[in-house]
Amino acid sequence: MAVCAAAILIGWSLYSLGLQTRSAMRPPPGAWSPVFAWRANTPLVGEVRGFAERVGARVPEGEPILFTLGEGGDDEFFLAMWTAYHLPHHPVLRRQNVAPGTAAPDYRLDFGAWPPDEPMSPGPPSAVPRRARLLLEGLGTLWYVPRLGAESEER
Amino acid sequence: MTSLASSPGIAVVVWAALAIWCGQLVGTRLGLARSSLAERLAMGLVALHAWMMLLDVADIAWTRASLLAPAVLALLLQWRSDPGGTTQEAVRSRQGPNARGGRVALADAMAAASVVAFAWSAWTLRSLAPDFVYHWGVKARHFAAQGGVDWALLQGHDTSYLHPDYPLLIPNLYVSTEILSGIWDEPAAMLWSVLFFAVLILECRRLADEVIGGVLGRVAFATAAAVLSGFSIGHLQAGAADLPFALALLALARQFGLLAQTGRSSHALARIGVWSAFAVICKIEGFPLAAFAIGLAWLRSEHAARRPLPALRGLLEWLRRHGSVWAPSALLGGWWLFTMGSKGLFQSTNSGWPTWERIRLTAEALPMALNVPTWSGLAWLLPLLPLGLLVRRLRWLVLLPCLQVAFYLSSYVGGAQSTSFWVLSSFPRLVFHVMPVLWIAIWAVVARSIASGDFETAKAERA
């Protein structure tokens, strides 16, 4: 009995390591999330970084950047976070976050009118909206947990 | 992709080496000259964090010079007081005969492969935690740009996603790396996680040797490395704070296991003080962990003194005599609590009263949290943890992890947050905190059963 338990523990631990390592080697296709964006180092991640850097170059250091992303919500949140990560010299605000009475920042990135005044990538223009949509869907989906949580709360 | 030889990677190595060396110095002062690598690293990182916080309070910018100043000063003082290098001699003598030329066992090779697997996934950012961007990384980048803690960022309107009430060891490590190298580099930052993981596995090895020993102890250690590596890769633990926190919990539990075996020991109490302080500066969960550890250390002393009931009036006297247990956590934790209060960083969602609805939602979400694919079903071993309390020689080893899990569950039913989401998004990671102790404890029971089975078989054969 104890020997069987030991064999099960050995097999189980090696199976777990093998499974997770294999999964890390091959991210499942279609499961788009910021996590996979980091994993795969996809062009989109580079675009977000490059876009943030170009914006950072336009906005003087220390000036705040305000996000107005159409309907807001999680997409706005995650995009703002990525920009805050890439632009450490700027306070990054979201439209929802601006407290009443706060002076309006001078610079705005209107993601509601996507694509903005400059394309995110030098690729064909028709590719931009789809990739932007993928980006927003991905950034708004932090793994599958929020959906599970929301379903559970509804029940 | 930056190569390993790039300067940010070297900066991590330099900081880690300095931390271990400073930890050796601090340990010698505390009477812990024979401390392990993990203990020296913990003491050094506590010292680094305390120094960075002190600079921030004094409004001195974090620069290479200001951050390295105490290490250079300590180096000079050490050279003056110890020109012959007796500290190195002590290190050499501590290593013992097995340190050189010992054959590499199969278990060690398996554990090394597990560490390499995690290191590969971390270095290539395949196991990078989302929190690295949204939480620790954002803080670190802003702190580095500011040359100190960016209190305006933490105090901003609706910044709960940043967890502004979390202690700052992890972002401080990333900041120190960036300041030393002058470059922000994610793969290099991940080396901290690789270091913590490797040290965690080394501590698992020590615990398995002490609790189980022999061949089965090595098997337990090797499989623990595989389990922890698998989860860390799959659940994206690189860059997050759960690895060092699991290390602190394991080290603390081990000290209590040792105390139960050997009786009272001022060295063990000092080690509990070091790891409690390390836990306090890692994560906000470190506050209850430190409180539990200090409380248990006191109860353990009372138990060892054969008093039938712990005498509260003796607590003050005990605290007075054993300042090394509580003073580091009280200083660092107390200052952080004061800062949180004075700067309004404490999040209202951290507190609340239990409700039946939250209990129901927690109970519904827990099976789903234990069932996440990244644990491959291993999280279902968690209910075995409290059973360890029934095993006399494992009781003190599993007591602290049990209390910590009880605290997590009480937080879920009391915290004013979306309960199901909270449980699902955090509990798999929190199980990781106790998994090293749980896994070794399970193996201890299995190994004992195998040993007693062998004994029975031999007895039957003799008969």
Side-chain angles (χ1 to χ4, degrees):
Chain A
M1 176 87 171
V3 174
C4 281
I8 289 169
L9 288 176
I10 293 170
W12 205 355
S13 60
L14 294 178
Y15 165 75
S16 170
L17 175 61
L19 190 71
Q20 300 306 332
T21 308
R22 184 168 166 270
S23 162
M25 285 176 181
R26 292 189 301 180
W32 224 96
S33 78
V35 171
F36 283 117
W38 272 110
R39 274 189 169 187
N41 197 17
T42 59
L44 270 174
V45 179
E47 285 173 14
V48 172
R49 186 192 293 263
F51 185 70
E53 284 170 356
R54 287 200 297 278
V55 170
R58 266 197 334 212
V59 181
E61 201 168 286
E63 287 285 342
I65 296 169
L66 176 69
F67 272 93
T68 58
L69 186 75
E71 295 175 2
D74 283 350
D75 299 339
E76 185 178 280
F77 163 76
F78 287 116
L79 266 179
M81 280 302 88
W82 276 53
T83 309
Y85 175 80
H86 286 307
L87 297 177
H89 291 281
H90 299 272
V92 175
L93 306 171
R94 290 182 289 144
R95 186 177 49 186
Q96 295 171 321
N97 290 0
V98 180
T102 305
D106 293 330
Y107 297 92
R108 287 174 180 242
L109 297 177
D110 193 352
F111 280 85
W114 194 275
D117 53 352
E118 57 178 352
M120 281 188 74
S121 74
S126 61
V128 173
R130 183 179 159 273
R131 297 170 90 179
R133 182 176 54 78
L134 280 174
L135 172 68
L136 297 181
E137 284 177 0
L139 293 176
T141 309
L142 184 62
W143 211 242
Y144 58 91
V145 171
R147 288 177 185 169
L148 286 175
E151 285 168 11
S152 179
E153 292 283 9
E154 281 169 15
R155 280 204 305 275
Chain B
M1 189 63 62
T2 317
S3 74
L4 259 176
S6 68
S7 57
I10 293 171
V12 175
V13 174
V14 168
W15 276 121
L18 277 175
I20 291 167
W21 178 73
C22 286
Q24 173 68 27
L25 289 184
V26 175
T28 307
R29 298 284 180 275
L30 289 173
L32 302 175
R34 292 173 67 84
S35 51
S36 68
L37 179 79
E39 286 158 359
R40 278 178 277 154
L41 178 69
M43 285 187 276
L45 293 183
V46 168
L48 172 65
H49 173 80
W51 175 246
M52 291 177 80
M53 292 292 95
L54 202 63
L55 287 175
D56 191 73
V57 170
D59 206 18
I60 299 171
W62 294 346
T63 62
R64 279 180 199 163
S66 65
L67 291 187
L68 287 170
V72 173
L73 190 67
L75 199 65
L76 288 173
L77 288 173
Q78 176 70 15
W79 181 74
R80 269 180 69 97
S81 64
D82 188 21
T86 52
T87 306
Q88 286 184 5
E89 189 60 37
V91 171
R92 273 197 294 275
S93 67
R94 188 182 50 248
Q95 288 173 341
N98 291 332
R100 44 181 132 85
R103 67 184 177 83
V104 177
L106 181 64
D108 289 343
M110 279 178 61
S114 301
V115 174
V116 168
F118 176 69
W120 161 78
S121 72
W123 178 256
T124 56
L125 305 183
R126 286 164 192 265
S127 56
L128 182 80
D131 269 358
F132 181 78
V133 174
Y134 306 124
H135 181 176
W136 310 108
V138 171
K139 282 180 184 169
R141 295 216 70 184
H142 283 255
F143 293 1
Q146 183 106 344
V149 179
D150 189 346
W151 296 111
L153 175 77
L154 300 181
Q155 289 176 296
H157 183 65
D158 186 22
T159 50
S160 58
Y161 54 85
L162 275 176
H163 298 286
D165 48 354
Y166 269 52
L168 300 174
L169 171 69
I170 303 301
N172 282 355
L173 294 180
Y174 301 144
V175 172
S176 61
T177 307
E178 180 177 352
I179 287 176
L180 191 59
S181 65
I183 300 170
W184 176 260
D185 185 63
E186 284 100 1
M190 293 308 105
L191 290 181
W192 283 109
S193 294
V194 175
L195 176 68
F196 286 130
F197 187 79
V199 174
L200 175 69
I201 299 304
L202 283 177
E203 285 296 289
C204 280
R205 188 175 191 262
R206 296 180 83 197
L207 181 66
D209 280 347
E210 287 159 4
V211 175
I212 306 168
V215 175
L216 286 176
R218 286 307 168 92
V219 174
F221 147 67
T223 51
V227 167
L228 298 175
S229 179
F231 179 77
S232 299
I233 293 170
H235 210 79
L236 313 174
Q237 290 298 289
D242 295 288
L243 277 169
F245 193 79
L247 170 64
L249 183 46
L250 170 66
L252 282 167
R254 180 176 158 264
Q255 291 304 323
F256 283 107
L258 283 175
L259 268 177
Q261 283 176 14
T262 60
R264 273 194 275 189
S265 161
S266 59
H267 289 174
L269 291 180
R271 290 189 167 102
I272 288 169
V274 168
W275 284 111
S276 298
F278 185 75
V280 159
I281 61 176
C282 264
K283 290 194 87 180
I284 199 164
E285 293 96 312
F287 283 82
L289 180 61
F292 290 143
I294 294 165
L296 282 181
W298 171 59
L299 284 177
R300 181 67 224 168
S301 299
E302 295 286 298
H303 181 70
R306 308 265 178 220
R307 292 195 187 99
L309 287 173
L312 270 175
R313 64 174 177 273
L315 177 61
L316 287 177
E317 174 62 19
W318 183 83
L319 290 174
R320 192 185 63 75
R321 279 189 288 118
H322 300 291
S324 62
V325 185
W326 58 269
S329 326
L331 280 174
L332 291 165
W335 173 78
W336 183 245
L337 287 175
F338 171 77
T339 306
M340 268 203 295
S342 60
K343 294 185 184 294
L345 301 180
F346 191 76
Q347 301 298 297
S348 57
T349 49
N350 285 341
S351 58
W353 293 101
T355 64
W356 286 113
E357 181 63 7
R358 286 194 194 123
I359 292 172
R360 185 183 66 78
L361 289 170
T362 303
E364 279 181 5
L366 276 176
M368 284 192 279
L370 293 177
N371 218 23
V372 291
T374 47
W375 266 124
S376 308
L378 287 161
W380 283 101
L381 295 171
L382 184 69
L384 296 178
L385 184 66
L387 295 182
L389 295 171
L390 303 175
V391 182
R392 187 182 173 84
R393 64 197 185 85
L394 296 177
R395 192 169 295 155
W396 280 93
L397 178 69
V398 301
L399 188 51
L400 190 64
C402 282
L403 287 171
Q404 192 68 9
V405 172
F407 168 77
Y408 294 153
L409 296 179
S410 70
S411 301
Y412 290 139
V413 301
Q417 298 194 35
S418 172
T419 307
S420 300
F421 169 69
W422 193 13
V423 174
L424 286 164
S425 61
S426 66
F427 199 62
R429 286 182 291 114
L430 302 184
V431 173
F432 180 78
H433 297 169
V434 298
M435 185 54 84
V437 175
L438 172 61
W439 188 260
I440 302 289
I442 289 171
W443 266 103
V445 173
V446 170
R448 196 169 178 84
S449 301
I450 291 174
S452 60
D454 288 346
F455 176 73
E456 292 298 328
T457 309
K459 205 165 65 173
E461 282 173 357
R462 276 200 303 276

